[in-house]
Structures are given as C-alpha cells and as structure tokens.
Amino acid sequence: GAQILAHAFGSQVIRNPEGWEIGGIELSLTKEAAEDPLFHGLPPSMKALATHEDRIENLPEGARLLAGNASSPIQAFRLPGPTWGLQFHPEITPAILEILIRLREATLEEDARRRHLSSDGHVARLLDTLVDPDVAQGRRILENFVRLCLDREGARARV
C-alpha cells in the first residue's frame, strides 16, 4: 500500500538494489514519529515484519518521514491529514511470514547469491528473525491505528 500511495502522490518506486527485505527488520523512527499518534508508545528503534522487493525512493510532496532503515530509507511516512504509508507490515504475523519465506525459498536464495551474500543457510537466517519477540513492536502501530479509528468514530457519534 505504501508504494502505491507514494507513487500516486508523485514519488518514484524502484526495485530495491539491496534485494528482498523480508523477515523481522530493524527500523529507526524519526523525531516526527515520536509526535505522531500512529507511533505512540514505540521506542526510537523498533522491530517489525516486512516483505517487499521494491522501495520508495523519495517522499511525496508535503509528506513527513516517520521511519526508515538502511535497506529502505522510507519505511513509513504521513501525508497531510490522517493518511499514512507503511512499507513494513504490522498486520501480518510471524507464522504468515514464515509461510511466505518458505514459499519463496529458491527466489530468496538466488537473490542472496546475486548480491554476493552466502545463500547457504540464508532462509534459515531469515526464519530466525521471526522468533525475536520484539518483532511484535510493529503490531503496536496496528493497535494505535484501530484506537485512532475508534476515537474518530466516537467523536462523530458525540456530535
């Protein structure tokens, strides 16, 4: 969704030169994220689940960067109003991502070879990132989103 949203608002989306970003990943939050209700209660460095082979190259005009990492510098952004784009996936679980990694095993190993990384044990290393309990930090974003939606509905009901 973030890639489509960014593209729709004028950003360039490209095949990530770093290859697939899949598994439990590290994110750095910006100062803007500390003040954003979607990222409420999260530390400046957090973990989340991801699966993508493309990345957003530049922010849409007027957007605020909320999170990034070395592989995908634009992992989360906010457009004016209540519109967010997330490159990672707070809605998925480690079990779902494990299935996706296993289904893509040959592709992920080939991707590692193309990038001159050891493909031997590559999938096992990706699967190991899923057992870290901190990858659930991304789930907090989904909880915050639901809370924001409920608060907006409650505000409408009170009017």
Side-chain angles (χ1 to χ4, degrees), residues 90-112:
E91 78 281 4
I92 64 174
T93 65
I96 291 170
L97 201 48
E98 178 180 353
I99 292 167
L100 290 174
I101 289 170
R102 290 187 188 283
L103 288 171
R104 295 175 177 151
E105 184 170 355
T107 300
L108 294 169
E109 288 175 354
E110 176 57 30
D111 180 64

Side-chain angles (χ1 to χ4, degrees), residues 22-43:
I22 188 168
I25 64 168
E26 296 269 345
L27 299 172
S28 295
L29 303 186
T30 65
K31 290 179 183 178
E32 289 83 4
E35 299 171 8
D36 192 281
L38 196 63
F39 288 83
H40 175 75
L42 288 163

Side-chain angles (χ1 to χ4, degrees), residues 48-65:
L49 297 172
T51 175
H52 51 264
E53 131 179 78
D54 296 326
R55 77 177 187 193
I56 302 163
E57 277 296 281
N58 54 306
L59 281 174
E61 187 174 327
R64 294 183 306 146
L65 180 64

Side-chain angles (χ1 to χ4, degrees), residues 22-154:
I22 188 168
I25 64 168
E26 296 269 345
L27 299 172
S28 295
L29 303 186
T30 65
K31 290 179 183 178
E32 289 83 4
E35 299 171 8
D36 192 281
L38 196 63
F39 288 83
H40 175 75
L42 288 163
S45 178
M46 62 169 277
K47 294 184 181 177
L49 297 172
T51 175
H52 51 264
E53 131 179 78
D54 296 326
R55 77 177 187 193
I56 302 163
E57 277 296 281
N58 54 306
L59 281 174
E61 187 174 327
R64 294 183 306 146
L65 180 64
L66 300 173
N69 65 13
S71 179
S72 296
I74 301 172
Q75 285 279 355
F77 63 91
R78 183 174 183 176
L79 291 168
T83 306
W84 292 268
L86 304 178
Q87 180 82 347
F88 56 97
H89 292 275
E91 78 281 4
I92 64 174
T93 65
I96 291 170
L97 201 48
E98 178 180 353
I99 292 167
L100 290 174
I101 289 170
R102 290 187 188 283
L103 288 171
R104 295 175 177 151
E105 184 170 355
T107 300
L108 294 169
E109 288 175 354
E110 176 57 30
D111 180 64
R113 280 191 290 279
R114 264 195 324 270
R115 294 183 297 124
H116 307 292
L117 300 173
S118 172
S119 61
D120 186 36
H122 181 65
V123 167
R125 287 188 297 278
L126 292 173
L127 293 171
D128 284 346
T129 67
L130 303 178
V131 299
D132 184 340
D134 285 342
V135 296
Q137 288 177 307
R139 192 94 179 153
R140 178 69 183 262
I141 292 170
L142 191 57
E143 294 166 0
N144 287 343
F145 180 74
V146 169
R147 191 173 305 106
L148 285 166
C149 291
L150 292 174
D151 287 349
R152 288 178 64 90
E153 284 301 312

